Each structure stands twice: as structure tokens, then as C-alpha cells.
Coordinates of all heavy atoms in Angstrom, one line a residue:
M14 N 0.8 -1.2 0.0 CA 0.0 0.0 0.0 C 0.9 1.2 0.0 O 1.8 1.4 0.8 CB -0.9 0.0 1.2 CG -1.8 1.1 1.4 SD -3.2 0.9 0.5 CE -4.0 2.5 0.6
A15 N 0.6 2.1 -0.9 CA 1.4 3.3 -1.0 C 0.9 4.4 0.0 O -0.2 4.3 0.5 CB 1.2 3.9 -2.4
K16 N 1.8 5.3 0.3 CA 1.4 6.4 1.2 C 0.3 7.2 0.6 O 0.2 7.4 -0.6 CB 2.6 7.3 1.5 CG 3.7 6.7 2.3 CD 5.0 7.5 2.3 CE 4.8 8.9 2.5 NZ 6.1 9.6 2.7
K17 N -0.6 7.6 1.5 CA -1.8 8.3 1.1 C -1.4 9.7 0.4 O -2.0 10.1 -0.5 CB -2.7 8.6 2.2 CG -3.2 7.4 2.9 CD -4.5 7.0 2.3 CE -5.1 5.9 3.2 NZ -6.0 5.0 2.5
S18 N -0.3 10.3 0.9 CA 0.2 11.5 0.4 C 0.6 11.4 -1.1 O 0.4 12.3 -1.9 CB 1.2 12.1 1.3 OG 2.4 11.3 1.3
K19 N 1.3 10.3 -1.4 CA 1.8 10.1 -2.7 C 0.6 9.9 -3.7 O 0.6 10.4 -4.8 CB 2.7 8.9 -2.8 CG 4.0 9.1 -2.1 CD 4.9 10.0 -2.9 CE 6.3 10.0 -2.3 NZ 7.2 10.9 -3.1
I20 N -0.4 9.1 -3.3 CA -1.6 8.9 -4.1 C -2.3 10.2 -4.3 O -2.7 10.6 -5.5 CB -2.5 7.9 -3.4 CG1 -1.8 6.5 -3.4 CG2 -3.8 7.8 -4.2 CD1 -2.5 5.5 -2.5
A21 N -2.4 11.0 -3.3 CA -3.1 12.3 -3.4 C -2.4 13.3 -4.3 O -2.9 14.0 -5.1 CB -3.3 12.9 -2.0
K22 N -1.0 13.3 -4.2 CA -0.2 14.2 -5.0 C -0.3 13.8 -6.5 O -0.4 14.6 -7.4 CB 1.2 14.1 -4.6 CG 2.1 15.0 -5.4 CD 3.5 15.1 -4.8 CE 3.5 16.2 -3.8 NZ 4.8 16.8 -3.5
N23 N -0.4 12.5 -6.8 CA -0.5 12.0 -8.1 C -1.9 12.4 -8.7 O -2.0 12.8 -9.9 CB -0.4 10.5 -8.2 CG -0.1 10.0 -9.6 OD1 0.8 10.6 -10.3 ND2 -0.7 9.0 -10.0
E24 N -3.0 12.3 -7.9 CA -4.3 12.7 -8.3 C -4.3 14.2 -8.6 O -5.0 14.7 -9.6 CB -5.3 12.4 -7.2 CG -5.6 10.9 -7.1 CD -6.0 10.2 -8.3 OE1 -6.9 10.7 -9.1 OE2 -5.4 9.1 -8.6
Q25 N -3.6 15.0 -7.8 CA -3.6 16.5 -8.0 C -2.8 16.7 -9.3 O -3.2 17.7 -10.1 CB -2.9 17.1 -6.9 CG -2.8 18.6 -6.9 CD -4.2 19.3 -7.0 OE1 -5.1 18.8 -6.3 NE2 -4.4 20.3 -7.7
R26 N -1.8 16.0 -9.6 CA -1.1 16.1 -10.9 C -2.0 15.9 -12.1 O -2.0 16.6 -13.1 CB 0.1 15.2 -11.0 CG 1.3 15.7 -10.2 CD 2.5 14.8 -10.5 NE 3.6 15.4 -9.7 CZ 4.5 14.6 -9.1 NH1 4.4 13.3 -9.1 NH2 5.5 15.2 -8.4
K27 N -2.9 14.9 -12.0 CA -3.8 14.6 -13.0 C -4.7 15.7 -13.3 O -5.1 16.1 -14.5 CB -4.6 13.3 -12.7 CG -3.9 12.0 -12.8 CD -4.8 10.9 -12.4 CE -4.0 9.6 -12.3 NZ -4.8 8.4 -11.9
V28 N -5.2 16.4 -12.2 CA -6.1 17.6 -12.4 C -5.3 18.7 -13.1 O -5.9 19.4 -14.0 CB -6.6 18.0 -11.0 CG1 -7.3 19.3 -11.0 CG2 -7.5 16.9 -10.4
I29 N -4.1 18.9 -12.7 CA -3.3 20.0 -13.3 C -3.0 19.7 -14.8 O -3.1 20.6 -15.6 CB -2.0 20.2 -12.5 CG1 -2.3 20.8 -11.1 CG2 -1.1 21.2 -13.2 CD1 -1.1 20.8 -10.2
V30 N -2.7 18.5 -15.1 CA -2.5 18.1 -16.5 C -3.7 18.4 -17.3 O -3.6 19.0 -18.4 CB -2.0 16.6 -16.6 CG1 -2.1 16.2 -18.0 CG2 -0.7 16.5 -16.1
A31 N -4.9 18.0 -16.8 CA -6.1 18.3 -17.5 C -6.4 19.8 -17.7 O -6.9 20.2 -18.7 CB -7.3 17.6 -16.8
R32 N -6.1 20.5 -16.7 CA -6.3 22.0 -16.7 C -5.5 22.7 -17.8 O -6.0 23.6 -18.5 CB -6.0 22.6 -15.3 CG -6.4 24.1 -15.2 CD -6.0 24.7 -13.9 NE -6.4 23.9 -12.8 CZ -5.7 23.8 -11.6 NH1 -4.6 24.5 -11.5 NH2 -6.2 23.0 -10.7
Y33 N -4.3 22.3 -18.0 CA -3.4 22.9 -18.9 C -3.2 22.2 -20.3 O -2.5 22.6 -21.1 CB -2.0 23.0 -18.3 CG -1.9 24.1 -17.2 CD1 -2.0 23.8 -15.9 CD2 -1.7 25.4 -17.6 CE1 -1.9 24.7 -14.9 CE2 -1.6 26.4 -16.6 CZ -1.7 26.0 -15.2 OH -1.6 27.0 -14.3
A34 N -4.0 21.1 -20.5 CA -3.8 20.3 -21.7 C -4.1 21.1 -22.9 O -3.3 21.0 -23.9 CB -4.8 19.1 -21.6
E35 N -5.1 21.9 -23.0 CA -5.5 22.6 -24.2 C -4.4 23.7 -24.5 O -3.9 23.8 -25.6 CB -6.8 23.3 -24.0 CG -7.4 23.9 -25.3 CD -8.8 24.5 -25.1 OE1 -9.5 23.9 -24.3 OE2 -9.1 25.5 -25.8
R36 N -4.0 24.4 -23.5 CA -3.0 25.5 -23.7 C -1.6 24.8 -24.1 O -1.0 25.3 -25.0 CB -2.8 26.2 -22.4 CG -1.9 27.4 -22.5 CD -1.7 28.2 -21.3 NE -3.0 28.3 -20.5 CZ -3.0 28.8 -19.3 NH1 -2.0 29.2 -18.7 NH2 -4.2 28.9 -18.7
R37 N -1.3 23.7 -23.5 CA -0.1 23.0 -23.9 C -0.1 22.5 -25.3 O 0.9 22.6 -26.1 CB 0.1 21.8 -22.9 CG 1.4 21.1 -23.0 CD 1.5 20.1 -21.9 NE 2.8 19.5 -22.0 CZ 3.9 20.0 -21.5 NH1 3.8 21.1 -20.8 NH2 5.0 19.4 -21.5
A38 N -1.3 22.0 -25.8 CA -1.4 21.5 -27.1 C -1.3 22.6 -28.1 O -0.6 22.4 -29.2 CB -2.8 20.8 -27.3
E39 N -1.8 23.8 -27.8 CA -1.7 24.9 -28.7 C -0.2 25.4 -28.9 O 0.2 25.6 -30.0 CB -2.5 26.1 -28.2 CG -4.0 25.9 -28.4 CD -4.8 27.1 -27.7 OE1 -4.2 28.1 -27.4 OE2 -6.0 26.9 -27.6
L40 N 0.5 25.4 -27.8 CA 1.9 25.8 -27.8 C 2.7 24.8 -28.6 O 3.6 25.2 -29.4 CB 2.4 26.0 -26.4 CG 1.8 27.2 -25.6 CD1 2.3 27.2 -24.2 CD2 2.2 28.5 -26.2
K41 N 2.5 23.6 -28.4 CA 3.2 22.5 -29.1 C 2.9 22.6 -30.6 O 3.8 22.4 -31.4 CB 2.8 21.1 -28.6 CG 3.2 20.9 -27.1 CD 4.6 20.3 -27.0 CE 4.5 18.9 -26.6 NZ 5.9 18.4 -26.4
K42 N 1.7 22.9 -30.9 CA 1.3 23.0 -32.3 C 2.0 24.1 -33.0 O 2.5 24.0 -34.1 CB -0.2 23.2 -32.4 CG -0.8 23.1 -33.8 CD -2.3 23.1 -33.8 CE -2.8 23.9 -34.9 NZ -4.2 24.2 -34.9
T43 N 2.1 25.3 -32.3 CA 2.9 26.4 -32.8 C 4.4 26.1 -33.0 O 5.0 26.5 -34.0 CB 2.7 27.6 -31.9 OG1 1.4 27.9 -31.6 CG2 3.4 28.8 -32.4
L44 N 4.9 25.3 -32.1 CA 6.3 25.0 -32.2 C 6.6 24.1 -33.4 O 7.7 24.3 -34.1 CB 6.8 24.2 -31.0 CG 7.2 25.0 -29.8 CD1 7.5 24.0 -28.6 CD2 8.4 25.8 -30.1
I45 N 5.8 23.2 -33.8 CA 6.1 22.3 -34.9 C 5.5 22.9 -36.3 O 5.7 22.3 -37.3 CB 5.6 20.9 -34.7 CG1 4.0 20.9 -34.5 CG2 6.2 20.3 -33.5 CD1 3.5 19.5 -34.5
D46 N 4.8 24.0 -36.2 CA 4.2 24.5 -37.4 C 5.3 25.1 -38.3 O 6.0 26.0 -38.0 CB 3.2 25.6 -37.1 CG 2.5 26.2 -38.3 OD1 2.5 25.6 -39.3 OD2 1.9 27.3 -38.1
P47 N 5.4 24.6 -39.6 CA 6.5 25.1 -40.5 C 6.2 26.5 -41.0 O 7.2 27.2 -41.4 CB 6.5 24.1 -41.6 CG 5.1 23.4 -41.6 CD 4.6 23.5 -40.2
N48 N 5.0 26.9 -40.9 CA 4.7 28.3 -41.4 C 4.8 29.4 -40.3 O 4.6 30.5 -40.6 CB 3.2 28.3 -42.0 CG 3.1 27.4 -43.2 OD1 4.1 27.2 -43.9 ND2 1.9 26.8 -43.3
A49 N 5.0 29.0 -39.1 CA 5.1 29.9 -38.0 C 6.4 30.7 -38.1 O 7.5 30.2 -38.6 CB 5.1 29.2 -36.7
T50 N 6.4 32.0 -37.6 CA 7.6 32.8 -37.7 C 8.5 32.4 -36.5 O 8.1 31.7 -35.6 CB 7.2 34.3 -37.5 OG1 6.6 34.5 -36.2 CG2 6.2 34.7 -38.6
D51 N 9.7 32.9 -36.6 CA 10.7 32.6 -35.5 C 10.2 33.2 -34.2 O 10.4 32.6 -33.1 CB 12.1 33.1 -35.9 CG 12.7 32.2 -37.0 OD1 12.3 31.1 -37.2 OD2 13.6 32.7 -37.7
E52 N 9.7 34.4 -34.3 CA 9.2 35.0 -33.1 C 8.1 34.2 -32.4 O 8.0 34.1 -31.2 CB 8.7 36.5 -33.4 CG 9.8 37.4 -33.8 CD 10.2 37.3 -35.2 OE1 9.4 36.8 -36.0 OE2 11.3 37.7 -35.6
A53 N 7.2 33.7 -33.2 CA 6.0 32.9 -32.7 C 6.6 31.6 -32.1 O 6.1 31.2 -31.0 CB 5.0 32.6 -33.8
R54 N 7.5 31.0 -32.7 CA 8.1 29.8 -32.1 C 8.8 30.1 -30.8 O 8.7 29.3 -29.9 CB 9.1 29.2 -33.1 CG 8.5 28.4 -34.2 CD 9.5 27.4 -34.8 NE 8.9 26.8 -36.0 CZ 9.3 27.1 -37.2 NH1 10.3 27.9 -37.5 NH2 8.7 26.5 -38.3
E55 N 9.5 31.2 -30.8 CA 10.2 31.5 -29.5 C 9.2 31.8 -28.4 O 9.4 31.4 -27.3 CB 11.1 32.7 -29.8 CG 11.9 33.2 -28.6 CD 13.0 32.2 -28.1 OE1 13.3 31.3 -29.0 OE2 13.4 32.2 -27.0
A56 N 8.1 32.5 -28.8 CA 7.1 32.8 -27.8 C 6.5 31.5 -27.3 O 6.2 31.4 -26.1 CB 6.1 33.7 -28.4
A57 N 6.2 30.6 -28.2 CA 5.6 29.3 -27.8 C 6.6 28.5 -26.9 O 6.2 27.9 -25.9 CB 5.3 28.5 -29.0
R58 N 7.9 28.5 -27.2 CA 8.9 27.8 -26.4 C 8.9 28.4 -24.9 O 8.9 27.7 -24.0 CB 10.2 27.9 -27.0 CG 11.3 27.1 -26.3 CD 12.7 27.3 -26.9 NE 13.1 28.7 -26.8 CZ 13.6 29.3 -25.6 NH1 13.7 28.6 -24.5 NH2 14.0 30.5 -25.6
V59 N 8.9 29.8 -24.9 CA 8.9 30.4 -23.6 C 7.6 30.1 -22.8 O 7.6 29.9 -21.6 CB 9.1 32.0 -23.8 CG1 8.9 32.7 -22.5 CG2 10.5 32.2 -24.3
G60 N 6.5 30.1 -23.6 CA 5.2 29.8 -23.0 C 5.2 28.4 -22.4 O 4.6 28.2 -21.3
L61 N 5.8 27.5 -23.1 CA 5.8 26.1 -22.6 C 6.7 26.0 -21.3 O 6.3 25.3 -20.3 CB 6.4 25.2 -23.6 CG 5.5 24.4 -24.5 CD1 6.2 23.6 -25.5 CD2 4.5 23.5 -23.7
Q62 N 7.7 26.8 -21.3 CA 8.6 26.8 -20.1 C 7.9 27.4 -18.9 O 8.2 27.0 -17.8 CB 9.9 27.5 -20.4 CG 10.8 26.7 -21.3 CD 12.1 27.5 -21.6 OE1 12.2 28.7 -21.3 NE2 13.1 26.8 -22.1
K63 N 7.0 28.3 -19.1 CA 6.4 29.0 -18.0 C 5.2 28.2 -17.4 O 4.8 28.5 -16.3 CB 5.8 30.4 -18.5 CG 6.9 31.4 -18.7 CD 6.4 32.8 -18.9 CE 7.6 33.7 -19.3 NZ 7.8 34.7 -18.2
L64 N 4.8 27.2 -18.1 CA 3.7 26.3 -17.6 C 4.3 25.6 -16.3 O 5.5 25.4 -16.2 CB 3.3 25.3 -18.6 CG 2.5 25.8 -19.8 CD1 2.2 24.6 -20.7 CD2 1.2 26.5 -19.4
P65 N 3.4 25.3 -15.4 CA 3.9 24.5 -14.2 C 4.5 23.2 -14.6 O 4.1 22.6 -15.6 CB 2.6 24.3 -13.4 CG 1.6 25.2 -13.9 CD 2.0 25.5 -15.3
R66 N 5.5 22.7 -13.8 CA 6.1 21.4 -14.1 C 5.1 20.3 -14.1 O 5.1 19.4 -14.9 CB 7.1 21.1 -13.0 CG 8.4 21.8 -13.3 CD 9.4 21.3 -12.3 NE 10.7 21.9 -12.5 CZ 11.7 21.8 -11.7 NH1 11.7 21.1 -10.6 NH2 12.8 22.5 -12.0
N67 N 4.1 20.4 -13.2 CA 3.1 19.3 -13.1 C 2.1 19.3 -14.2 O 1.2 18.5 -14.2 CB 2.5 19.3 -11.7 CG 3.4 18.8 -10.6 OD1 4.4 18.1 -10.9 ND2 3.2 19.2 -9.4
A68 N 2.2 20.3 -15.1 CA 1.3 20.3 -16.2 C 1.7 19.4 -17.3 O 1.0 19.1 -18.2 CB 1.2 21.8 -16.8
S69 N 2.9 18.8 -17.2 CA 3.4 17.9 -18.2 C 2.8 16.5 -17.9 O 2.9 16.0 -16.7 CB 4.9 17.8 -18.1 OG 5.3 16.8 -19.0
P70 N 2.2 15.8 -18.9 CA 1.6 14.5 -18.6 C 2.6 13.4 -18.3 O 2.3 12.4 -17.7 CB 1.0 14.1 -20.0 CG 1.0 15.3 -20.8 CD 2.0 16.3 -20.2
V71 N 3.9 13.7 -18.5 CA 4.9 12.7 -18.2 C 5.1 12.5 -16.7 O 5.5 11.5 -16.2 CB 6.3 13.2 -18.9 CG1 7.4 12.2 -18.5 CG2 6.1 13.2 -20.4
R72 N 4.8 13.6 -16.0 CA 5.0 13.5 -14.5 C 3.9 12.7 -13.8 O 4.0 12.5 -12.6 CB 5.0 14.9 -14.0 CG 6.3 15.6 -14.4 CD 6.4 17.0 -13.9 NE 6.5 17.2 -12.5 CZ 7.6 17.3 -11.8 NH1 8.8 17.2 -12.4 NH2 7.6 17.4 -10.5
V73 N 2.8 12.3 -14.5 CA 1.8 11.6 -13.8 C 2.2 10.1 -13.8 O 2.6 9.5 -14.8 CB 0.4 11.7 -14.6 CG1 -0.6 10.7 -14.0 CG2 -0.1 13.1 -14.6
R74 N 2.1 9.5 -12.6 CA 2.6 8.1 -12.4 C 1.4 7.2 -12.6 O 0.3 7.4 -12.0 CB 3.2 8.1 -11.0 CG 3.7 6.7 -10.6 CD 5.1 6.6 -11.1 NE 5.6 5.3 -10.6 CZ 6.8 4.9 -10.8 NH1 7.7 5.7 -11.4 NH2 7.2 3.7 -10.4
S75 N 1.6 6.1 -13.3 CA 0.5 5.1 -13.3 C 0.6 4.3 -12.1 O 1.6 3.7 -11.7 CB 0.7 4.2 -14.6 OG 1.9 3.5 -14.5
R76 N -0.5 4.2 -11.4 CA -0.6 3.5 -10.1 C -1.7 2.5 -10.1 O -2.7 2.6 -10.8 CB -0.8 4.5 -8.9 CG 0.4 5.4 -8.7 CD 0.2 6.2 -7.5 NE 1.4 6.9 -7.1 CZ 2.3 6.4 -6.2 NH1 2.1 5.3 -5.7 NH2 3.4 7.1 -6.0
D77 N -1.6 1.5 -9.2 CA -2.7 0.5 -9.0 C -3.9 1.2 -8.6 O -3.8 2.1 -7.6 CB -2.2 -0.5 -8.0 CG -3.2 -1.7 -7.8 OD1 -4.4 -1.5 -7.9 OD2 -2.7 -2.8 -7.6
A78 N -5.0 1.0 -9.2 CA -6.3 1.7 -8.8 C -6.8 1.3 -7.5 O -7.5 2.1 -6.8 CB -7.3 1.3 -9.9
I79 N -6.4 0.2 -6.9 CA -6.9 -0.3 -5.6 C -6.0 0.2 -4.5 O -6.5 0.8 -3.5 CB -7.1 -1.8 -5.6 CG1 -8.1 -2.2 -6.8 CG2 -7.6 -2.3 -4.3 CD1 -8.1 -3.6 -7.1
D80 N -4.7 -0.1 -4.5 CA -3.9 0.2 -3.4 C -2.8 1.3 -3.7 O -2.1 1.7 -2.8 CB -3.3 -1.0 -2.7 CG -2.3 -1.7 -3.6 OD1 -2.1 -1.3 -4.8 OD2 -1.6 -2.6 -3.1
G81 N -2.7 1.7 -4.9 CA -1.7 2.7 -5.3 C -0.3 2.3 -5.5 O 0.6 3.1 -5.6
R82 N -0.1 1.0 -5.7 CA 1.3 0.5 -5.9 C 1.8 1.1 -7.2 O 1.2 1.1 -8.3 CB 1.3 -1.0 -6.1 CG 2.6 -1.6 -6.2 CD 2.5 -3.2 -6.3 NE 3.7 -3.9 -5.8 CZ 4.8 -4.0 -6.6 NH1 4.8 -3.6 -7.8 NH2 5.8 -4.6 -6.1
P83 N 3.0 1.7 -7.2 CA 3.5 2.5 -8.3 C 4.2 1.6 -9.4 O 4.4 2.1 -10.5 CB 4.5 3.5 -7.7 CG 5.0 2.8 -6.5 CD 3.9 2.0 -6.0
R84 N 4.7 0.4 -9.1 CA 5.5 -0.3 -10.0 C 4.7 -1.6 -10.5 O 3.9 -2.2 -9.7 CB 6.8 -0.7 -9.4 CG 7.6 0.5 -9.1 CD 8.9 0.1 -8.5 NE 9.7 1.3 -8.2 CZ 10.9 1.5 -8.6 NH1 11.6 0.5 -9.3 NH2 11.6 2.6 -8.3
G85 N 5.0 -2.0 -11.7 CA 4.4 -3.2 -12.2 C 2.9 -3.1 -12.4 O 2.2 -4.0 -12.2
V86 N 2.5 -1.9 -12.9 CA 1.1 -1.7 -13.2 C 0.7 -2.1 -14.6 O 1.4 -1.7 -15.6 CB 0.7 -0.2 -13.0 CG1 -0.8 0.0 -13.3 CG2 1.0 0.2 -11.5
L87 N -0.3 -3.0 -14.8 CA -0.7 -3.4 -16.1 C -1.8 -2.4 -16.6 O -2.9 -2.3 -16.0 CB -1.3 -4.8 -16.1 CG -0.4 -5.9 -15.5 CD1 -1.2 -7.2 -15.3 CD2 0.7 -6.1 -16.4
S88 N -1.4 -1.6 -17.6 CA -2.2 -0.4 -18.0 C -3.6 -0.9 -18.5 O -4.6 -0.2 -18.4 CB -1.5 0.4 -19.0 OG -1.2 -0.3 -20.1
K89 N -3.7 -2.1 -19.1 CA -4.9 -2.6 -19.7 C -6.0 -2.8 -18.6 O -7.1 -2.6 -18.8 CB -4.7 -3.9 -20.4 CG -5.9 -4.4 -21.1 CD -5.5 -5.6 -21.9 CE -6.8 -6.2 -22.6 NZ -6.5 -7.4 -23.4
F90 N -5.5 -3.2 -17.4 CA -6.4 -3.5 -16.3 C -6.4 -2.4 -15.2 O -7.3 -2.3 -14.4 CB -6.1 -4.8 -15.7 CG -6.2 -6.0 -16.7 CD1 -5.0 -6.4 -17.3 CD2 -7.4 -6.6 -16.9 CE1 -5.1 -7.5 -18.2 CE2 -7.5 -7.6 -17.8 CZ -6.3 -8.1 -18.5
G91 N -5.3 -1.6 -15.1 CA -5.3 -0.6 -14.1 C -4.9 -1.1 -12.8 O -5.1 -0.4 -11.8
I92 N -4.4 -2.3 -12.7 CA -4.0 -2.9 -11.4 C -2.5 -3.4 -11.5 O -2.0 -3.6 -12.6 CB -4.9 -4.0 -10.9 CG1 -5.1 -5.1 -12.0 CG2 -6.3 -3.4 -10.6 CD1 -5.9 -6.2 -11.6
S93 N -1.9 -3.6 -10.4 CA -0.5 -4.1 -10.4 C -0.5 -5.6 -10.7 O -1.5 -6.3 -10.6 CB 0.1 -3.9 -9.1 OG -0.5 -4.7 -8.1
R94 N 0.7 -6.1 -11.1 CA 0.9 -7.5 -11.5 C 0.6 -8.4 -10.3 O 0.0 -9.5 -10.5 CB 2.3 -7.7 -11.9 CG 3.3 -7.3 -10.9 CD 4.8 -7.5 -11.3 NE 5.7 -7.1 -10.3 CZ 6.0 -7.9 -9.2 NH1 5.4 -9.1 -9.1 NH2 6.8 -7.4 -8.3
V95 N 0.9 -7.9 -9.1 CA 0.6 -8.8 -7.9 C -0.9 -8.9 -7.7 O -1.4 -10.1 -7.5 CB 1.3 -8.1 -6.7 CG1 1.0 -8.9 -5.4 CG2 2.7 -8.0 -6.9
R96 N -1.6 -7.8 -7.7 CA -3.1 -7.9 -7.5 C -3.7 -8.6 -8.7 O -4.7 -9.3 -8.5 CB -3.6 -6.5 -7.4 CG -5.1 -6.5 -7.1 CD -5.5 -5.2 -6.5 NE -4.7 -4.7 -5.4 CZ -4.9 -5.0 -4.1 NH1 -5.9 -5.8 -3.8 NH2 -4.2 -4.6 -3.2
F97 N -3.2 -8.4 -9.9 CA -3.8 -9.1 -11.1 C -3.7 -10.6 -10.9 O -4.7 -11.3 -11.1 CB -3.0 -8.7 -12.3 CG -3.4 -9.4 -13.6 CD1 -4.5 -9.0 -14.3 CD2 -2.7 -10.5 -14.0 CE1 -4.9 -9.7 -15.4 CE2 -3.1 -11.2 -15.2 CZ -4.2 -10.8 -15.9
R98 N -2.6 -11.1 -10.4 CA -2.4 -12.5 -10.2 C -3.4 -13.1 -9.2 O -4.0 -14.1 -9.4 CB -0.9 -12.8 -9.8 CG -0.6 -14.2 -9.7 CD 0.9 -14.4 -9.5 NE 1.4 -15.7 -9.6 CZ 1.4 -16.6 -8.5 NH1 1.1 -16.1 -7.3 NH2 1.8 -17.8 -8.7
D99 N -3.5 -12.3 -8.1 CA -4.4 -12.8 -7.0 C -5.8 -12.8 -7.5 O -6.6 -13.8 -7.3 CB -4.3 -11.8 -5.8 CG -3.0 -12.0 -5.0 OD1 -2.4 -13.1 -5.2 OD2 -2.7 -11.1 -4.3
M100 N -6.2 -11.7 -8.2 CA -7.6 -11.7 -8.7 C -7.9 -12.7 -9.8 O -9.0 -13.3 -9.8 CB -7.9 -10.3 -9.2 CG -8.0 -9.2 -8.1 SD -8.2 -7.5 -8.8 CE -9.9 -7.6 -9.2
A101 N -6.9 -13.0 -10.6 CA -7.1 -14.0 -11.7 C -7.2 -15.4 -11.0 O -8.1 -16.2 -11.5 CB -5.9 -14.0 -12.6
H102 N -6.5 -15.7 -10.0 CA -6.5 -17.0 -9.3 C -7.9 -17.2 -8.7 O -8.4 -18.3 -8.6 CB -5.4 -17.2 -8.3 CG -4.1 -17.5 -9.0 ND1 -3.9 -18.5 -9.9 CD2 -2.9 -16.9 -8.8 CE1 -2.7 -18.6 -10.2 NE2 -2.0 -17.6 -9.6
R103 N -8.4 -16.1 -8.1 CA -9.7 -16.1 -7.5 C -10.9 -16.1 -8.4 O -12.1 -16.2 -8.0 CB -9.9 -15.0 -6.4 CG -9.1 -15.3 -5.2 CD -9.2 -14.1 -4.2 NE -8.3 -13.1 -4.6 CZ -8.3 -11.9 -4.2 NH1 -9.3 -11.5 -3.4 NH2 -7.4 -11.0 -4.5
G104 N -10.6 -15.9 -9.7 CA -11.7 -15.8 -10.7 C -12.4 -14.5 -10.8 O -13.6 -14.5 -11.2
E105 N -11.8 -13.4 -10.3 CA -12.5 -12.1 -10.2 C -12.4 -11.4 -11.5 O -13.0 -10.3 -11.7 CB -12.0 -11.3 -9.1 CG -12.3 -11.9 -7.7 CD -11.7 -11.2 -6.6 OE1 -11.0 -10.2 -6.8 OE2 -11.8 -11.7 -5.4
L106 N -11.5 -11.8 -12.4 CA -11.3 -11.1 -13.7 C -11.9 -12.0 -14.8 O -11.4 -13.1 -15.1 CB -9.8 -10.9 -14.0 CG -9.1 -10.1 -13.0 CD1 -7.6 -10.1 -13.3 CD2 -9.6 -8.7 -13.0
P107 N -13.0 -11.6 -15.4 CA -13.7 -12.4 -16.4 C -12.8 -12.5 -17.7 O -12.2 -11.6 -18.1 CB -15.0 -11.6 -16.8 CG -14.8 -10.2 -16.2 CD -13.7 -10.3 -15.1
G108 N -12.8 -13.7 -18.2 CA -12.0 -14.0 -19.4 C -10.6 -14.3 -19.2 O -9.9 -14.6 -20.1
I109 N -10.1 -14.2 -18.0 CA -8.7 -14.5 -17.7 C -8.6 -15.9 -17.1 O -9.2 -16.2 -16.1 CB -8.1 -13.5 -16.6 CG1 -8.3 -12.0 -17.1 CG2 -6.6 -13.8 -16.4 CD1 -7.6 -11.7 -18.4
T110 N -7.8 -16.7 -17.7 CA -7.5 -18.1 -17.2 C -6.1 -18.3 -17.1 O -5.3 -17.7 -17.8 CB -8.2 -19.1 -18.2 OG1 -7.6 -19.0 -19.5 CG2 -9.7 -19.0 -18.2
K111 N -5.7 -19.2 -16.2 CA -4.3 -19.5 -16.0 C -3.9 -20.5 -17.1 O -4.6 -21.5 -17.4 CB -4.1 -20.2 -14.6 CG -2.7 -20.5 -14.3 CD -2.6 -21.0 -12.8 CE -1.2 -21.1 -12.3 NZ -0.4 -22.0 -13.1
S112 N -2.8 -20.2 -17.8 CA -2.4 -21.0 -18.9 C -1.6 -22.2 -18.4 O -0.9 -22.2 -17.4 CB -1.5 -20.2 -19.9 OG -0.4 -19.9 -19.3
S113 N -1.7 -23.3 -19.1 CA -0.9 -24.5 -18.8 C -0.7 -25.3 -20.1 O -1.6 -25.3 -21.0 CB -1.6 -25.4 -17.8 OG -2.9 -25.8 -18.3
W114 N 0.4 -25.9 -20.2 CA 0.7 -26.6 -21.4 C 1.6 -27.8 -21.1 O 2.1 -28.0 -20.1 CB 1.3 -25.7 -22.5 CG 2.5 -25.0 -22.2 CD1 3.8 -25.5 -22.3 CD2 2.6 -23.7 -21.6 NE1 4.7 -24.5 -21.9 CE2 4.0 -23.5 -21.4 CE3 1.7 -22.8 -21.2 CZ2 4.4 -22.3 -20.9 CZ3 2.1 -21.6 -20.6 CH2 3.5 -21.4 -20.5

């Protein structure tokens, strides 16, 4: 089980990323636009730098939806490998069977 503070901080980062997503996308679009002037590109670069650090989607950590474990998270299911294995053995995941050959 992860610390409650780490889970809360990650949730707050998700909110900040969503808040700045549109502005960030516009600035990135200006940066890669071949028709943009050098001044516009420079302004977009400076604008991106002025955004909060936590506005970057890279800073959001994928965590287990149930207990917040930060490592070994299977993104398709949103749970960690440890919890996935336990739930699969108990039959709580529909369509998941233990393979044997």
C-alpha cells in the first residue's frame, strides 16, 4: 500500500495536467508549425517553459487503482501485477484463465 500523500499528489497532478492540456497542445502545435515565424516559435517555447512542471503528462505516475502501488502496473487493467495474479486466481477477472501446457 502506497502512502496516502503520494496517491493524493498524483491525483492532483492529473487535475493540473487536464487543466493545462489545451494550452499546452496549442503551444506545441505552434512549435512544430512550419509556417510559423521565428518570433512565434520563440514565444511558444517560452510559454511552454512558463507552464507549471506538473502540467506535463509525463509527470503523472501510473498506479494501481486499488492500493496505489507504483510499479508493475498493467495499464490494460489498471492494477498491479501482484493484484492481477491474485484476482485472476480467485476468478474475479472475467475471461482471464491460468495457462498450462
